[in-house]
Amino acid sequence: MATEQPAQPTPIHVLIIGYVWPEPRSSAASGHVMQLIDCFLEQGWQITFASAATEGEHKADLGGLGITEVTITLNHGSFDAFISELQPDVVLFDQFLMEEQFGWRVEKHCPNAIRLLETSDLQSLRHARHQAVKERLDGKPDADLTGYFQTSQDQLFTRMASTDLAQREVAAIHRSDLSLMVSDVEIELLTQAFSVPAAQLHWVPLLVRENHTAPASPRGFEERAHFITIGNFRHAPNWDAVLWLKNTVWPLIRAQLPAAQLRVYGAYTPPKAAALHNAAQGFHIMNWAEDALEVMGAARVSLAPLRFGAGIKGKIIDAMVCGTPTVTTPIGAEAMHGELSFPGAVACDAQGLADAAVSLYTDQARWERAQRDGWHLLPARYSHDRHCAALIERILALRETLPAHRTANFTGTMLRHHQHKSTQYMSQWIEAKNKNT
């Protein structure tokens, strides 16, 4: 008689509610969502990806990964029927806006599903810094930002706390069972300044597989030429960085290296960006890069002069993978290297950025040291295997202790009770209004 095989456990079913359909070659945020998806697929978990967004031209092939794609509608009862039938074990909200929109519906129809929030970065922190830069510049694009990059945690909290964006974003973090944070600096800000319990947060940065932490045969110093900057033009920090490069930083570099060339790559290049192209100045707008790692690996130095932003920077991760040193600001370097050496140079003003860029471009020994620093940093801080294992362990542990975890999170319970009621009634009012038009 054949021995009866033990029943296999039912795989966990994850529903991801996307703010957009992921475009990992266009933005680091989408890249991080795809990395989380990889972690879940490696466990054999079933995944459904749902979004109300319009598909972009660089959308990832989710179907090819065996992921079910579902188009959903905002402020519509059809989602209730969808989620009731699906009954996922885990729901991942991509950005706090999706938690606001669908969180109350998920809680109502799937009360036992773990609710995860993928923050990508703290939008309220990015917005606060953007406003601070505008105030400092006061209409003068080259104004001195001395002191701005040393803004303390208390100063950031004071600037953020009164804003509608911060109140909504931090409330969504409280309401969620667990929020996934790419930046350990932002975890510190939330726990120390905003009093978010550490048990509500989990650090999972951008991930790099161990076999990608250094190219098999990287191009050496002499085989590379020119500077590069890369980033989605729809992302305000990237656009500001390109303008700062064009108007201030790049002319200072060209004054020292008259033959230098800069190639600017970015998805969704608007006419205002294309108009910056000037071959005579060595400033080349290249539009979208089909293979970002290929163009990054051919450049000698990457420039990321970010004056505001949050989270961590995919462009700097890509540069490290390619062995390309980066010159950036303290905003760009934030949460990127911990106690280890930054793989390039960090400066606070245009002249400092230009001098560091020229030094890295011309000093082979310094360039090679920065390259080695990047390859050391990647496995130490961004290991796919280590962070995926920790995330899966955290989710599985949460499944076993979910009632107690929620009881301990009284602030989240209170916020769900009040906020979800107001959100529910607003959504239902919009739905009823749409039916009558």
Side-chain angles (χ1 to χ4, degrees):
M1 174 182 280
T3 304
E4 184 176 343
Q5 297 296 317
Q8 294 298 313
T10 303
I12 290 175
H13 189 171
V14 180
L15 168 65
I16 300 175
I17 303 178
Y19 179 68
V20 297
W21 294 98
E23 296 188 8
R25 293 191 296 170
S26 298
S27 75
S30 283
H32 194 241
V33 170
M34 293 304 298
Q35 290 165 1
L36 297 176
I37 286 174
D38 283 345
C39 292
F40 300 151
L41 290 176
E42 288 169 358
Q43 301 299 311
W45 293 1
Q46 182 182 352
I47 300 176
T48 298
F49 195 104
S51 181
T54 302
E55 292 188 10
E57 59 186 279
H58 307 306
K59 174 182 171 292
D61 180 14
L62 299 177
L65 298 173
I67 297 169
T68 302
E69 299 181 17
V70 178
T71 299
I72 53 179
T73 304
L74 300 175
N75 302 307
H76 199 278
S78 58
F79 182 85
D80 298 344
F82 162 69
I83 193 76
S84 295
E85 181 178 353
L86 194 69
Q87 287 297 312
D89 303 293
V90 177
V91 177
L92 175 66
F93 301 102
D94 174 24
Q95 302 189 30
F96 82 91
L97 293 169
M98 294 299 94
E99 191 279 338
E100 280 189 337
Q101 176 68 221
F102 295 103
W104 67 272
R105 295 182 186 271
V106 170
E107 182 174 13
K108 180 179 180 179
H109 298 286
C110 300
N112 297 322
I114 295 173
R115 297 185 294 272
L116 305 179
L117 176 60
E118 156 68 342
T119 61
S120 295
D121 63 9
L122 278 181
Q123 295 183 37
S124 52
L125 174 59
R126 171 162 31 95
H127 176 76
R129 284 173 166 162
H130 193 179
Q131 293 306 116
V133 168
K134 286 181 179 179
E135 292 170 12
R136 289 265 187 163
L137 297 179
D138 192 25
K140 307 177 188 66
D142 302 328
D144 185 13
L145 293 177
T146 301
Y148 158 73
F149 289 114
Q150 286 74 44
T151 303
S152 69
Q153 185 181 94
D154 287 344
Q155 290 171 316
L156 282 174
F157 173 75
T158 299
R159 180 173 281 275
M160 294 170 64
S162 62
T163 66
D164 175 76
L165 187 59
Q167 291 166 14
R168 292 169 57 196
E169 187 169 34
V170 176
I173 289 171
H174 275 292
R175 288 192 300 266
S176 301
D177 294 318
L178 192 67
S179 292
L180 310 184
M181 309 293 301
V182 297
S183 166
D184 52 356
V185 171
E186 291 175 9
I187 290 177
E188 184 177 315
L189 176 65
L190 287 171
T191 55
Q192 295 187 5
F194 288 90
S195 301
V196 175
Q200 300 297 120
L201 307 172
H202 182 79
W203 181 47
V204 52
L206 297 176
L207 306 178
V208 179
R209 295 184 181 276
E210 299 298 329
N211 60 337
H212 292 163
T213 55
S217 54
R219 297 184 186 184
F221 179 84
E222 295 290 349
E223 300 172 277
R224 296 170 180 245
H226 311 312
F227 294 86
I228 188 174
T229 190
I230 193 166
N232 191 321
F233 284 108
R234 290 179 175 175
H235 194 49
N238 292 335
W239 174 237
D240 177 78
V242 168
L243 289 177
W244 197 25
L245 267 174
K246 170 69 173 178
N247 297 324
T248 308
V249 179
W250 184 244
L252 293 172
I253 293 174
R254 286 273 289 191
Q256 299 181 61
L257 298 174
Q261 304 292 310
L262 171 64
R263 289 171 169 75
V264 181
Y265 291 90
Y268 300 105
T269 307
K272 64 181 180 180
L276 299 178
H277 181 86
N278 191 319
Q281 297 174 355
F283 198 91
H284 303 272
I285 302 296
M286 307 297 292
N287 299 318
W288 186 66
E290 184 70 31
D291 187 335
L293 296 183
E294 173 62 28
V295 296
M296 183 69 80
R300 187 176 290 180
V301 174
S302 174
L303 304 177
L306 297 161
R307 293 194 283 194
F308 61 93
I312 59 177
K313 315 305 179 294
K315 58 176 68 65
I316 298 179
I317 299 284
D318 287 347
M320 283 191 277
V321 169
C322 297
T324 307
T326 296
V327 176
T328 190
T329 64
I331 296 295
E334 182 177 271
M336 294 300 303
H337 60 107
E339 299 299 319
L340 300 175
S341 297
F342 182 78
V346 181
C348 294
D349 58 29
Q351 189 64 62
L353 290 165
D355 292 345
V358 171
S359 177
L360 272 170
Y361 196 87
T362 57
D363 186 337
Q364 183 171 352
R366 183 180 180 185
W367 186 90
E368 290 175 344
R369 184 167 61 251
Q371 185 182 70
R372 290 193 299 270
D373 287 341
W375 289 338
H376 177 63
L377 180 59
L378 286 170
R381 194 167 175 85
Y382 299 101
S383 166
H384 171 93
D385 292 349
R386 186 172 70 254
H387 283 292
C388 279
L391 174 60
I392 298 303
E393 181 181 356
R394 189 78 183 269
I395 293 172
L396 294 178
L398 197 54
R399 290 191 81 200
E400 299 298 321
T401 61
L402 191 58
H405 179 82
R406 288 178 174 170
T407 299
N409 180 22
F410 178 76
T411 299
T413 302
M414 178 177 60
L415 288 170
R416 288 199 307 275
H417 172 76
H418 291 286
Q419 193 275 344
H420 280 347
K421 289 299 182 185
S422 61
T423 303
Q424 174 183 345
Y425 296 146
M426 175 60 75
S427 181
Q428 290 174 338
W429 178 83
I430 293 172
E431 183 177 359
K433 180 174 178 291
N434 289 339
K435 287 179 180 178
N436 295 327
T437 57

